[in-house]
C-alpha cells in the first residue's frame, strides 16, 4: 500500500532536522508522526478557565466524564474515545512513551476518573492524562475528544500541559463563553494553534444565560476576521443540550446548537480525515522547517564570501611593515656610514690635536733642558704621554661607537644588541717602536782644550800685535790675559752652540717619533673603526633581516589565513545554499499540501 504524501513530507522533515543537528525538532516530529498514525482524529477543546470546556465534552457525548464545577479546574488532559464498553484509567509515566518511555494505567470509575487524575496531578509530576472509553456513535466514527487544561500564564504548568495536548491535535476547538468577547489572550493563543493545527473552530458557550449572545458572536467573528484567523463561530448551550437529551426533546436540542456543532465536526473532520491529517502534518513540518530555514538564511547572508576587514587590515599592515623595514635598512646603513665617517674625522682631529700638544711641550722642555742629561727621563715621559693619549683616544672612540650603536638600535632596530666592548679594547697593544735615542755629541775636555787654545791664540795674537806698537813684545802679560779671556769665551760659546744643536736634534727626534706614533696609531684606529663598522653593520643587518623575515612570514601567514577563511566561507556558503535550496523545496511541498481546498464546512 502506497504511503500518503504527508507521511513522506514529515519523514523528509525529520531527516532534515537530524541533518541540521536539531534533534529536539526531530524528536517532536517523531512524536507527532506517531500520533498522526494512530486511529481516530483528536479534537482538543481549549480555552481559558471557566469557559465550559469540560461541560461541552460531556454534552457532546451525553456522559458526565469530565469533572465540572466552580471549584474544579482541569489540571491534566482528559481523552475520550470510542470503546465497546465503558472504560476509564489514569495514565502515569513518561511524557514521551513513543520514544522508549513507559506508561502505566490504573483503572478508575468512568464518572470520577477525570477528577481523580486532576487531584493526583496536583501532588505528582508523572500524571499524564485520564483516558475514557465510551460506546458512542459520534466517537465510533473516529472522533477523539480531548478536554485540555485551561490556558493562561505561559509559565503555568496547566498552560504547558494544554499546549502539549494541542501539539498532538488534528483539530482544535477554542471554547469561549458568551459573557464577553474574545480576549487578546484567546486571539494570541488561537493564532499560535492555527500555525500548528489549521483545522480550528470557535465554540461560543453559555448562550442560554446571555440574552445578547448573537451580538457577542458577531463581534467575535469580526475580531477573528481582523486577526486573519478562521472565523467559524458556533454558539451552543451545554445546559440545553443535556436537558434535551434527558427529555428527548429535538426542538430543545436544536436550540442548544449542538446539532450544528456535530454537523460541523463531521464535515470538517470525519468526512475527510486524510485531508485533516495532511494539513496537520504539513503545519507541523512547516513550523519545523521555518526554524531550520531562518538560521540558515541568516548564516548564508553572514557567510557570503567577503573579506574579513580586520584580517585584511592586518595583512596590509604586515605588508607596510615589510616595506618600512626595507626602507629602514637603507636609512640606518646610510646613517651608520655617516656616523662612522664623522667619528673617523673627529678621532683623527683629536689625535692630531693631542700629539701637537705633546710636541709643544717637547719644544718648551728642550728650550732649557740638555738632552744629554735628561734624555732617559724624557724618554720615559714621552712613552707615558703617548700611552695615555692612546688610552684616552681609544676610550673616547669606544664610547662614541657605543653611542652610535645604541642610537641605531633604539631608533631603527629596537631589539639589536650593544656592541661588545672587547672589539675596541684590542687597540691597547703596541703601536710604535720605542723612542730611539739620537746621536748627541758630547763636549769633552780635550775638545774644550782645543777650542780654548784656538780662541786664546786669536786673542793672544791680536793683543800681542796691538801691544807691539807700544814697544812691548808680542807675548806679554796683556796679550796673555787677552788670550786667556778669548779662549774662555770660545769655550763658552762652543758649549752653548753645541747645546742648541743637541736640543734641536732632540726635538727633531721627538717629532719624528710622534709622527711615527700618529701614523701607526692612526692606521690602527682606522682599521679598528672599519672592523667595528662592519661588525655593527653585520649585526644590525642580521637583526633587520630577521625582522623582515618575521614580518614577511607574518604577512604570508595572514594571507594564508585570509585565503583559508575565504575558502571556508565559500564552502560553507555553498553548503548553506544547498541546504536552503533543499529546505525551500521541501517547504514548497508543505505549502502545496496546506493550500489544498479546506474540508467542507471549515468556514462559516
Amino acid at each position: 500500500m502506497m504511503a500518503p504524501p504527508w507521511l513522506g513530507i514529515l519523514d523528509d522533515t525529520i531527516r532534515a532536522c537530524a541533518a541540521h543537528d536539531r534533534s529536539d525538532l526531530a524528536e517532536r516530529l517523531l512524536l507527532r508522526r506517531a500520533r498522526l498514525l494512530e486511529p481516530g482524529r483528536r479534537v482538543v477543546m481549549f480555552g481559558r478557565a471557566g469557559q465550559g470546556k469540560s461541560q461541552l465534552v460531556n454534552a457532546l457525548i451525553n456522559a458526565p466524564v469530565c469533572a465540572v464545577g466552580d471549584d474544579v479546574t482541569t489540571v491534566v488532559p482528559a481523552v475520550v474515545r470510542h470503546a465497546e464498553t465503558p472504560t476509564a484509567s489514569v495514565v502515569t509515566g513518561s511524557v514521551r512513551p513513543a520514544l522508549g518511555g513507559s506508561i502505566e494505567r490504573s483503572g478508575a470509575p468512568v464518572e470520577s476518573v477525570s477528577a481523580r487524575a486532576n487531584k493526583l496531578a496536583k501532588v505528582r509530576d508523572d500524571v499524564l492524562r485520564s483516558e475514557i472509553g465510551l460506546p458512542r456513535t459520534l466517537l465510533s466514527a473516529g472522533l477523539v475528544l480531548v478536554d485540555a487544561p485551561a490556558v493562561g500564564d505561559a509559565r503555568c504548568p496547566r498552560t504547558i500541559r494544554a499546549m502539549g495536548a494541542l501539539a498532538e491535535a488534528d483539530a482544535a476547538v477554542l471554547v469561549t463563553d458568551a459573557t464577553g468577547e474574545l480576549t487578546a489572550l484567546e486571539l494570541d493563543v488561537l493564532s499560535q494553534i492555527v500555525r500548528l493545527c489549521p483545522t480550528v473552530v470557535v465554540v461560543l458557550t453559555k448562550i442560554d444565560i446571555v440574552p445578547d449572545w448573537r451580538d457577542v458572536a458577531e463581534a467575535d467573528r469580526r475580531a477573528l476576521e481582523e486577526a486573519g484567523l478562521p472565523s467559524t463561530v458556533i454558539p451552543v448551550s451545554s445546559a440545553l443540550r443535556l436537558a434535551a437529551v434527558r427529555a428527548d426533546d429535538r426542538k430543545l436540542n436544536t436550540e442548544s446548537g449542538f446539532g450544528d456543532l456535530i454537523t460541523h465536526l463531521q464535515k470538517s473532520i470525519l468526512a475527510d480525515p486524510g485531508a485533516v491529517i495532511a494539513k496537520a502534518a504539513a503545519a507541523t513540518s512547516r513550523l519545523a522547517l521555518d526554524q531550520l530555514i531562518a538560521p540558515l538564511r541568516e548564516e548564508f547572508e553572514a557567510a557570503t564570501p567577503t573579506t574579513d576587514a580586520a584580517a585584511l587590515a592586518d595583512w596590509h599592515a604586515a605588508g607596510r611593515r615589510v616595506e618600512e623595514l626595507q626602507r629602514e635598512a637603507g636609512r640606518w646603513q646610510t646613517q651608520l656610514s655617516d656616523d662612522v665617517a664623522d667619528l673617523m674625522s673627529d678621532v683623527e682631529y683629536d689625535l692630531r690635536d693631542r700629539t701637537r700638544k705633546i710636541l709643544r711641550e717637547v719644544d718648551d722642555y728642550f728650550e732649557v733642558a740638555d738632552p744629554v742629561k735628561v734624555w732617559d727621563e724624557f724618554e720615559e715621559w714621552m712613552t707615558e704621554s703617548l700611552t695615555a693619549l692612546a688610552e684616552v683616544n681609544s676610550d673616547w672612540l669606544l664610547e662614541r661607537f657605543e653611542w652610535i650603536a645604541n642610537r641605531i638600535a633604539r631608533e631603527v632596530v629596537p631589539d639589536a644588541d650593544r656592541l661588545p666592548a672587547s672589539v675596541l679594547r684590542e687597540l691597547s697593544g703596541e703601536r710604535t717602536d720605542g723612542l730611539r735615542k739620537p746621536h748627541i755629541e758630547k763636549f769633552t775636555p780635550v775638545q774644550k782644550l782645543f777650542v780654548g787654545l784656538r780662541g786664546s791664540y786669536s786673542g793672544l795674537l791680536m793683543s800681542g800685535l796691538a801691544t807691539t806698537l807700544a814697544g812691548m813684545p808680542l807675548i806679554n802679560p796683556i796679550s796673555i790675559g787677552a788670550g786667556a779671556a778669548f779662549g774662555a769665551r770660545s769655550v763658552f760659546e762652543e758649549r752653548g752652540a753645541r747645546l742648541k744643536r743637541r736640543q734641536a736634534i732632540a726635538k727633531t727626534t721627538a717629532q719624528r717619533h710622534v709622527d711615527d706614533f700618529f701614523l701607526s696609531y692612526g692606521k690602527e684606529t682606522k682599521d679598528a673603526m672599519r672592523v667595528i663598522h662592519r661588525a655593527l653593520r653585520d649585526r644590525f643587518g642580521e637583526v633587520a633581516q630577521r625582522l623582515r623575515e618575521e614580518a614577511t612570514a607574518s604577512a604570508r601567514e595572514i594571507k594564508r589565513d585570509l585565503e583559508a577563511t575565504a575558502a571556508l566561507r565559500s564552502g560553507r556558503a555553498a553548503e548553506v545554499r544547498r541546504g536552503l535550496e533543499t529546505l525551500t523545496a521541501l517547504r514548497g511541498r508543505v505549502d502545496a499540501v496546506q493550500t489544498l481546498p479546506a474540508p467542507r464546512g471549515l468556514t462559516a
Side-chain angles (χ1 to χ4, degrees), residues 225-349:
E225 290 177 357
E226 291 174 359
L229 299 171
S231 57
T232 300
V233 178
I234 302 176
V236 299
S237 171
S238 299
L240 293 179
R241 163 71 171 178
L242 293 174
V245 171
R246 286 193 300 268
D248 193 17
D249 188 341
R250 292 186 178 182
K251 183 179 179 181
L252 188 60
N253 186 62
T254 301
E255 292 181 4
S256 69
F258 271 78
D260 295 337
L261 177 58
I262 292 173
T263 300
H264 180 84
L265 293 177
Q266 289 174 340
K267 290 181 178 181
S268 62
I269 299 174
L270 300 179
D272 191 0
V276 175
I277 296 174
K279 287 184 177 293
T284 304
S285 297
R286 179 169 184 159
L287 286 176
L289 290 173
D290 287 344
Q291 295 186 58
L292 295 179
I293 290 174
L296 276 184
R297 183 172 288 114
E298 292 179 0
E299 183 179 357
F300 179 74
E301 293 174 355
T304 301
T306 56
T307 304
D308 187 350
L312 185 61
D314 292 341
W315 181 49
H316 287 316
R320 288 193 297 270
R321 176 58 178 163
V322 174
E323 296 175 358
E324 182 181 355
L325 288 173
Q326 291 175 347
R327 290 193 299 270
E328 287 180 353
R331 185 169 62 250
W332 67 255
Q333 288 181 8
T334 301
Q335 182 179 357
L336 179 62
S337 298
D338 292 344
D339 289 343
V340 171
D342 292 342
L343 176 61
M344 188 174 295
S345 176
D346 292 343
V347 168
E348 182 177 2
Y349 176 81

Side-chain angles (χ1 to χ4, degrees), residues 42 54 115 276 304 347 404 413 421 425 444 450 515 526 602:
R42 288 183 170 235
S54 302
V276 175
T304 301
V347 168
I404 292 172
V413 189
R425 294 304 182 184
T444 62
F450 278 104
D515 288 342
K526 292 178 181 179
L602 183 58

Side-chain angles (χ1 to χ4, degrees), residues 509-529:
T509 302
Q511 183 173 1
R512 288 176 180 174
H513 181 71
V514 171
D515 288 342
D516 291 341
F517 169 82
F518 180 84
L519 291 175
S520 176
Y521 182 74
K523 177 65 167 58
E524 186 179 357
T525 302
K526 292 178 181 179
D527 292 342
M529 284 192 288

Side-chain angles (χ1 to χ4, degrees), residues 443 448 451-452 485-499:
F443 198 23
K448 292 179 181 180
V451 170
F486 271 88
R489 181 177 179 81
S490 297
V491 171
F492 179 77
E493 290 179 351
E494 182 67 18
R495 183 174 61 189
R498 286 177 177 268
L499 176 61

Side-chain angles (χ1 to χ4, degrees), residues 372 440-444 447 498 502:
V372 175
I440 301 175
E441 182 182 3
K442 295 182 179 180
F443 198 23
T444 62
Q447 291 174 335
R498 286 177 177 268
R502 288 197 302 272

